[in-house]
């Protein structure tokens, strides 16, 4: 015995560990995005139900207003928390792109609501023209599909990674022998 303590055996990474190591940054971003989105969802949900049920506003108008306000909350959260480590471009550009992609996401949610409330509701109004059906179509189906689109588009176009410097064009000097 030399008194030396054996070191901890090297840990073996399993398939889950390898995935976490490889996609950890993406999981981290996605969890922050989900947190911001969850808060914005609560704003959207509460405001939609207040306007549609409490104030008697038509469902599509209520959804449009609630989504615009929730999108503003989401922009602030995503810009200053989720993707704060990313390169910043002009704030007006980010805001405009963010709301453009949110408009597409709103279109997805409103289309799901319209298909349910007016399309399927024409066939079975006692089921599809109810507050429960409106909430399901708008918040479960519409927001789910819209969220997938938003995460991809914000990450790809709005809050972009710092680019790599451009590679200089090769010179074709006759003097260099090239």
């Amino acid at each position: 015995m030399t008194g030396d303590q054996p070191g901890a055996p090297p840990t073996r990474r399993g398939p889950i560990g390898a995935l976490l190591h490889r996609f950890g940054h993406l999981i981290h971003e996605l969890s922050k995005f989900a947190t911001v989105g969850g808060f914005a969802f609560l704003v959207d949900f509460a405001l939609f139900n207040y306007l549609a049920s409490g104030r008697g506003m038509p469902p599509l108008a209520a959804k449009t207003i609630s989504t615009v306000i929730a999108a503003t909350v989401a922009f602030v959260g995503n810009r200053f928390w989720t993707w704060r480590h990313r390169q910043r471009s002009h704030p007006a550009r980010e805001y405009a792109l963010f709301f453009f992609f949110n408009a597409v996401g709103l279109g997805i949610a409103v289309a799901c609501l319209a298909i349910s409330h007016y399309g399927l509701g024409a066939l079975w109004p006692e089921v599809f023209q109810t507050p429960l059906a409106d909430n399901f179509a708008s918040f479960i189906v519409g927001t789910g599909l819209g969220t997938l689109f938003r995460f991809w588009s914000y990450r790809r176009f709005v809050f972009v990674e710092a680019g790599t410097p451009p590679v200089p064009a090769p010179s074709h000097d006759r003097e260099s022998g090239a």
Side-chain angles (χ1 to χ4, degrees):
M1 291 210 170
T2 62
D4 292 338
Q5 298 294 324
T11 58
R12 290 178 34 209
R13 250 190 256 167
I16 302 287
L19 284 173
L20 287 175
H21 179 71
R22 182 170 180 167
F23 297 108
H25 69 284
L26 185 62
I27 293 168
H28 185 70
E29 280 183 356
L30 189 57
S31 65
K32 285 182 168 185
F33 179 78
T35 302
V36 169
F39 185 73
F41 175 84
L42 291 175
V43 169
D44 191 8
F45 182 80
L47 193 54
F48 170 77
N49 282 292
Y50 169 73
L51 293 172
S53 298
R55 304 287 291 174
M57 188 177 282
L60 296 181
K63 181 62 180 168
T64 301
I65 291 169
S66 68
T67 299
V68 168
I69 292 171
T72 303
V73 169
F75 175 79
V76 171
N78 283 314
R79 172 68 280 168
F80 296 106
W81 189 51
T82 305
W83 286 297
R84 71 174 177 233
H85 62 284
R86 297 238 175 153
Q87 160 183 327
R88 293 186 190 239
S89 61
H90 194 273
R93 176 201 162 275
E94 287 180 348
Y95 198 68
L97 282 174
F98 187 88
F99 275 92
F100 170 75
F101 291 121
N102 251 308
V104 175
L106 169 62
I108 292 168
V110 169
C112 291
L113 176 60
I115 289 168
S116 173
H117 190 85
Y118 298 108
L120 297 173
L123 302 172
W124 203 355
E126 58 274 4
V127 172
F128 289 102
Q129 290 184 348
T130 65
L132 178 62
D134 288 348
N135 277 290
F136 184 82
S138 177
F139 291 106
I140 304 299
V141 179
T143 299
L145 294 173
T147 296
L148 292 174
F149 171 77
R150 285 179 181 113
F151 181 74
W152 171 79
S153 62
Y154 297 165
R155 196 168 192 280
R156 175 77 172 93
F157 300 109
V158 181
F159 306 115
V160 296
E161 295 255 26
T164 56
V167 177
S171 65
H172 297 288
D173 293 339
R174 292 182 186 254
E175 296 173 13
S176 67

